[in-house]
């Protein structure tokens, strides 16, 4: 990176809540926010928004007749973007870029309209415009009346961090000075759960902690899905209310053996982390907020990558998916949120059942990882302001 980029604020909504104070309180709470739900004929674990957050989303839906036609993933993004803008103190500013992506896109509406088509042979008028991926950034831009570039993308689970990388590239190229970047996901449907179960990666054991992310002794895969959105308000210049700064970015792609493969030693993650660290001494990296989806191979590959890269200087390791599930495109942004909160409060959040997790001596620089299907890995270095 040419120079640091500052995180002015972070707006999010997830199973942990919707305000920084509430989210930090729930991180401090040793319990998880995952429960069993009935998805048509199948019961499965998932992490839904709490009732208060869901009520806020429904109130947003009723604000505008057009919003009633939007997918939850779009409404989550609008809700989070409003929060990010307000907390950043960006008043009457319109030259703001918007890049918000999604892994699954308008999942709920797509399945609804497809079911209607199968049953009637006809497609609803809103079927096409309300299920395009571009809905997310374009409606956020419409809601905020921004004048900068607005675009969406899908890079599976690393979508949110790719949005951050894109935003930094646009800002450092001089096109805009401020950007909203993140991911949004509302994919808790019977069909999505069935897809994960078909891959044999979904949690099935009813344990105290059903998602065993960073339990290196687990015998079964334990990934669990959650719904969320997370959006960073990024700017080139420092500000009094900035919560952290981004001092490095890295990205790499695996050589695939099949569509969801990852190498045993996480080669792409090693390259992404090394690029993000840049010329910094490896001993200066205090912690890593891992992607760690709770699968046997996924967790092990990332741990192996960290050990191979850092050797004796292996930093503290943690994850949040045991607590709020895997939120696909939003997961990397929620990882940044955890990193920023730990830097602000100078307190490390451990995985309660993981022996690999340890408390660091200091918290100044935290790596955040994401990797998705297709072997797309991204690392972002978050530093204390």
């Amino acid at each position: 990176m040419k120079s640091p980029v500052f995180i002015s604020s972070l707006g999010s909504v997830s199973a942990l809540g919707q305000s920084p104070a509430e989210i930090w309180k729930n991180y401090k709470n040793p319990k998880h926010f995952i429960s069993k739900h009935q998805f048509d004929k199948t019961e499965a674990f998932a992490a839904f928004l709490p009732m208060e957050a869901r009520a806020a989303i429904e109130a947003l839906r009723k604000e505008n007749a057009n919003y009633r036609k939007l997918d939850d993933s779009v409404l989550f993004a609008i809700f989070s973007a409003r929060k990010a803008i307000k907390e950043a103190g960006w008043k009457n500013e319109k030259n703001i870029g918007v890049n918000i992506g999604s892994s699954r896109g308008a999942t709920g509406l797509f399945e609804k309209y497809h079911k209607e088509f199968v049953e009637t042979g006809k497609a609803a008028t809103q079927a096409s415009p309300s299920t395009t991926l571009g809905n997310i950034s374009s409606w956020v831009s419409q809601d905020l009346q921004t004048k900068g570039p607005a675009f969406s993308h899908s890079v599976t689970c690393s979508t949110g961090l790719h949005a951050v990388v894109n935003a930094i590239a646009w800002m450092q190229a001089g096109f805009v000075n401020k950007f909203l970047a993140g991911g949004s996901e509302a994919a808790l449907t019977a069909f999505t759960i069935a897809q994960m179960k078909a891959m044999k990666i979904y949690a099935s054991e009813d344990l105290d902690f059903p998602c065993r992310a960073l339990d290196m002794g687990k015998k079964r895969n334990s990934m669990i899905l959650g719904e969320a959105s997370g959006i960073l308000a990024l700017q080139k210049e420092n500000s009094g209310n900035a919560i952290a700064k981004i001092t490095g970015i890295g990205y790499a792609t695996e050589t695939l053996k099949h569509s969801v493969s990852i190498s045993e030693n996480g080669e792409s993650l090693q390259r992404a982390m090394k690029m993000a660290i840049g010329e910094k001494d490896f001993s200066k990296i205090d912690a890593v907020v891992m992607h760690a989806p709770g699968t046997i191979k996924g967790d092990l590959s990332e741990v192996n990558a960290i050990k191979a890269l850092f050797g004796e200087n292996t930093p503290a390791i943690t994850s949040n998916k045991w607590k709020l599930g895997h939120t696909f495109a939003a997961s990397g942004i929620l990882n940044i949120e955890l990193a920023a909160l730990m830097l602000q409060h100078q307190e490390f959040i451990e995985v309660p059942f993981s022996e690999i997790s340890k408390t660091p001596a200091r918290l100044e620089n935290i790596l955040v990882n994401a990797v998705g299907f297709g072997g797309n890995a991204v690392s972002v270095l978050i530093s204390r302001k």
Side-chain angles (χ1 to χ4, degrees):
M1 285 178 62
K2 296 178 182 178
S3 57
V5 166
F6 295 87
I7 304 174
S8 292
S9 67
L10 196 159
S12 75
V13 61
S14 71
L16 299 187
Q18 56 183 303
S19 73
E22 179 186 16
I23 291 164
W24 181 245
K25 178 182 176 182
N26 285 330
Y27 267 123
K28 296 269 289 176
N29 188 332
K31 74 171 188 176
H32 63 79
F33 293 80
I34 294 166
S35 57
K36 274 191 173 180
H37 293 264
Q38 193 70 33
F39 294 92
D40 288 348
K41 299 177 182 179
T42 302
E43 189 178 53
F45 293 105
F48 285 87
L49 302 187
M51 288 193 303
E52 296 82 0
R54 174 54 68 177
I57 297 297
E58 292 309 313
L60 171 60
R61 191 191 305 275
K62 295 175 183 177
E63 280 186 20
N64 186 316
N66 288 319
Y67 290 2
R68 295 172 189 175
K69 305 169 186 175
L70 299 179
D71 187 73
D72 278 355
S73 59
V74 181
L75 293 173
F76 290 1
I78 292 173
F79 182 77
S80 298
R82 286 183 180 182
K83 287 178 55 187
I85 286 281
K86 181 179 179 181
E87 292 173 14
W90 293 356
K91 298 179 180 179
N92 302 317
E93 298 182 54
K94 300 301 179 185
N95 189 27
I96 299 169
V98 179
N99 182 193
I100 303 163
S102 182
S103 175
R104 314 298 294 187
T107 316
L109 282 186
F110 189 92
E111 292 181 18
K112 171 182 178 290
Y113 288 132
H114 183 260
K115 181 181 179 182
E116 290 177 1
F117 174 73
V118 171
E119 292 174 348
T120 67
K122 296 180 180 180
T125 304
Q126 287 295 319
S128 176
S130 64
T131 59
T132 58
L133 180 60
N135 259 311
I136 296 183
S137 289
S138 60
W139 275 109
V140 167
S141 179
Q142 286 288 328
D143 184 73
L144 300 174
Q145 289 295 290
T146 60
K147 304 300 182 185
F151 56 100
S152 300
H153 66 266
S154 180
V155 200
T156 62
C157 306
S158 55
T159 295
L161 292 196
H162 270 292
V164 173
V165 172
N166 278 334
I168 290 171
W170 277 74
M171 288 191 291
Q172 297 202 332
F175 290 109
V176 289
N177 292 323
K178 296 180 178 179
F179 233 100
L180 293 175
S184 187
E185 213 72 59
L188 297 183
T189 68
F191 184 46
T192 308
I193 299 293
Q195 291 175 67
M196 300 301 108
K197 287 191 171 186
M199 296 170 62
K200 304 187 186 305
I201 59 176
Y202 214 75
S204 58
E205 290 185 286
D206 197 355
L207 306 171
D208 289 342
F209 297 98
C211 176
R212 308 295 295 183
L214 288 188
D215 175 0
M216 306 313 294
K218 60 179 173 288
K219 303 300 182 183
R220 295 185 182 182
N221 290 322
S222 65
M223 194 181 88
I224 291 171
L225 297 186
E227 59 182 0
S229 71
I231 298 175
L232 299 174
L234 302 172
Q235 63 183 67
K236 290 176 67 175
E237 303 298 328
N238 194 1
S239 65
N241 61 347
I243 60 175
K245 60 185 179 181
I246 297 173
T247 53
I249 54 175
Y251 44 86
T253 305
E254 288 274 346
T255 300
L256 296 179
K257 293 183 178 178
H258 56 79
S259 60
V260 297
S261 68
I262 187 169
S263 57
E264 184 178 344
N265 291 315
E267 300 295 340
S268 62
L269 277 166
Q270 286 190 53
R271 297 198 303 273
M273 288 188 288
K274 187 175 182 179
M275 181 178 175
I277 295 168
E279 296 180 359
K280 258 189 172 53
D281 191 313
F282 279 29
S283 65
K284 299 294 184 182
I285 307 304
D286 306 309
V288 181
V289 179
M290 297 176 63
H291 181 69
T295 62
I296 295 172
K297 289 184 177 179
D299 289 8
L300 181 59
S301 174
E302 191 170 3
V303 169
N304 286 344
I306 290 171
K307 289 181 176 179
L309 186 64
F310 287 93
E312 295 180 355
N313 292 317
T314 297
I317 295 171
T318 192
S319 170
N320 57 14
K321 290 183 179 65
W322 64 273
K323 182 177 277 284
L324 52 79
H326 190 347
T327 56
F328 286 150
S331 64
I333 305 300
L334 299 186
N335 285 353
I336 288 181
E337 180 175 63
L338 174 56
L341 286 169
M342 290 194 297
L343 290 173
Q344 283 182 286
H345 293 275
Q346 285 295 289
E347 186 172 350
F348 184 70
I349 300 298
E350 296 183 344
V351 178
F353 51 79
S354 175
E355 294 181 1
I356 202 169
S357 183
K358 66 176 184 179
T359 301
R362 64 173 187 268
L363 284 170
E364 296 291 335
N365 299 292
I366 300 177
L367 266 180
V368 172
N369 287 343
V371 62
F373 294 160
N376 279 285
V378 181
S379 291
V380 177
L381 183 58
I382 310 296
S383 300
R384 195 177 181 191
K385 182 185 165 185

